[in-house]
Amino acid sequence: MVLYYTSNIVDPPVTIYMGKDKYENDDLITYGFPEDIWFHVDKLSSAHVYVRLQPGQTWLDIPEAVVEDCAQLVKANSIEGNKKNGITVIYTPWDNLKKTPGMETGQVTFFNNKKVKRVFVEKRINEVVNRLNKTKVERHPDLRLEKIQREKIDRKNARLEEFAEKEKARVLAEEKRRAEKEINDMFDPNQMKSNWRETEVEDINEAEEDFM
């Protein structure tokens, strides 16, 4: 079961979700989306909380208010962290999460520690936690199927983008070819005209008429 929340302090609202136990946490690590951002209480046991941004957005696009919502939610879902003040919450892009052989269920590390940010949480803010809890919905999604469907969409979009780029390159090449042809034609001796009269003009009046 996955718990879904809505952070409606931004427009459009964003979805926040987390697994109910460590086994679902492993599934969420496996079947995350590129725009998912993972939150966890630093050095303490806690829920794995994710925020799902809009496709194409990165962790650098998270509004500060949403970071605060996620930090408060992950603190509230840490048995030890919920009792303490002055804790640190870490967050990183989903694709920076790393599972290695021998790790316990739900345990995770990172590919790049430089892509991990920290936010200090002084204390629990019940107003924020209660607002999020009012939006909570429990679901039993087929995470694997959702991942497959998302990857199909990504592949389709990639093909469309590739086709658009090729078409753009074709149009530019055709425009360049036409421009080069016009320049070449302009200086082609066979296309050039001259006002030089090859025979001598005997009648000046006739010559003048030629230029009228």
Side-chain angles (χ1 to χ4, degrees):
M1 181 175 65
V2 179
L3 306 177
Y4 292 88
Y5 304 80
T6 300
S7 177
N8 49 27
I9 55 174
V10 291
D11 187 24
V14 297
T15 298
I16 300 172
Y17 66 96
M18 65 182 182
K20 190 175 182 180
D21 56 40
K22 62 182 181 180
Y23 300 101
E24 287 182 341
N25 287 338
D26 260 9
D27 289 339
L28 295 180
I29 293 169
T30 302
Y31 299 116
F33 285 13
E35 60 270 16
D36 288 348
I37 313 300
W38 175 89
F39 287 75
H40 195 275
V41 175
D42 191 24
K43 300 177 181 178
L44 295 176
S45 176
S46 77
H48 291 210
V49 171
Y50 294 81
V51 59
R52 177 156 292 171
L53 302 178
Q54 298 298 318
Q57 289 185 313
T58 72
W59 70 318
L60 302 177
D61 299 316
I62 309 177
E64 286 298 323
V66 175
V67 172
E68 181 179 357
D69 273 7
C70 293
Q72 284 292 326
L73 190 61
V74 76
K75 171 179 167 56
N77 286 275
S78 169
I79 295 176
E80 188 175 355
N82 190 42
K83 301 174 183 178
K84 293 183 175 182
N85 290 332
I87 67 165
T88 299
V89 170
I90 57 176
Y91 64 100
T92 191
W94 163 79
D95 60 9
N96 193 39
L97 299 178
K98 180 181 180 181
K99 290 284 293 186
T100 59
M103 275 189 168
E104 295 183 4
T105 303
Q107 190 176 7
V108 69
T109 185
F110 311 112
F111 286 103
N112 184 356
N113 288 323
K114 292 182 179 180
K115 292 183 67 175
V116 179
K117 288 191 174 184
R118 289 167 171 78
V119 56
F120 179 76
V121 182
E122 182 179 356
K123 63 180 181 179
R124 170 173 170 147
I125 303 177
N126 287 325
E127 179 183 356
V128 173
V129 177
N130 292 338
R131 169 171 52 81
L132 291 171
N133 280 333
K134 288 179 181 179
T135 70
K136 181 171 69 174
V137 177
E138 297 181 0
R139 298 175 187 165
H140 296 81
D142 186 333
L143 297 174
R144 179 177 176 276
L145 179 60
E146 288 183 354
K147 180 72 170 182
I148 291 173
Q149 292 173 337
R150 171 56 190 272
E151 289 177 342
K152 286 182 178 179
I153 293 174
D154 288 345
R155 287 194 296 269
K156 180 180 179 181
N157 289 337
R159 288 194 299 269
L160 291 174
E161 290 179 4
E162 182 181 3
F163 176 81
E165 288 297 322
K166 287 183 178 179
E167 181 64 14
K168 181 179 178 181
R170 186 193 67 77
V171 171
L172 290 175
E174 179 64 19
E175 291 177 349
K176 180 180 179 181
R177 186 192 66 78
R178 289 177 182 174
E180 290 175 347
K181 184 177 184 303
E182 290 177 358
I183 294 174
N184 291 335
D185 289 347
M186 186 181 302
F187 294 99
D188 185 351
N190 297 324
Q191 302 293 331
M192 298 178 70
K193 295 182 179 180
S194 173
N195 289 325
W196 174 257
R197 186 183 292 273
E198 295 182 355
T199 59
E200 184 178 355
V201 178
E202 296 181 357
D203 188 342
I204 190 61
N205 292 327
E206 181 182 346
E208 290 179 350
E209 288 178 357
D210 288 346
F211 289 95
M212 291 182 63

